[in-house]
Amino acid sequence: MRSPALARAAAVILALEGLALVVFALIELVGLGAGDAASLPTALALIVLTLLGAGALIAFAVGANAGRSWARSGGIVFQVLAVALALASLTIQPVQWLFTLAVGIPGALGFALLVASARAENPRPTE
């Protein structure tokens, strides 16, 4: 039994996270052009890796919307990493609450939606 509403909601979260990473990479690219980078190779590598992560999140969004298990699995990994990053940010003083909430809430919501979508699409067999 497919649950398009849950899959679509999870896909929206993943796509928005992917778009946020694209925006972050663009901001870093502008900073690179302004000469803010201490190391050019490191800055370029960070930008490329950020864009790869954004591409992966957008691919997972498309796949999750289509009900693909590989996309849900990859999306869940990204959501767990987002929640871990948000929790780790609590150890930095002063706590940057905007960052913590902006990363943690979508991560937790995306995780819950992906798990709910998987459960709805793959019901337990009855005996």
Side-chain angles (χ1 to χ4, degrees):
M1 171 170 188
R2 188 130 196 287
S3 177
L6 289 172
R8 192 172 302 113
V12 166
I13 296 288
L14 290 169
L16 289 174
E17 288 172 336
L19 290 175
L21 282 181
V22 168
V23 169
F24 180 74
L26 291 174
I27 291 169
E28 289 299 313
L29 194 57
V30 169
L32 183 64
D36 291 343
S39 169
L40 181 63
T42 302
L44 287 173
L46 178 63
I47 291 168
V48 169
L49 289 174
T50 302
L51 289 173
L52 285 172
L57 280 168
I58 292 169
F60 293 150
V62 171
N65 192 44
R68 305 284 187 237
S69 64
W70 61 265
R72 285 192 304 265
S73 299
I76 286 172
V77 168
F78 266 87
Q79 302 315 302
V80 168
L81 291 173
V83 170
L85 180 62
L87 291 174
S89 73
L90 293 173
T91 64
I92 298 171
Q93 296 301 322
V95 174
Q96 300 296 317
W97 288 106
L98 180 61
F99 175 84
T100 302
L101 296 174
V103 172
I105 291 173
L109 182 60
F111 179 83
L113 287 169
L114 287 164
V115 170
S117 174
R119 286 181 165 251
E121 292 179 23
N122 301 304
R124 290 187 174 176
T126 56
E127 294 184 37

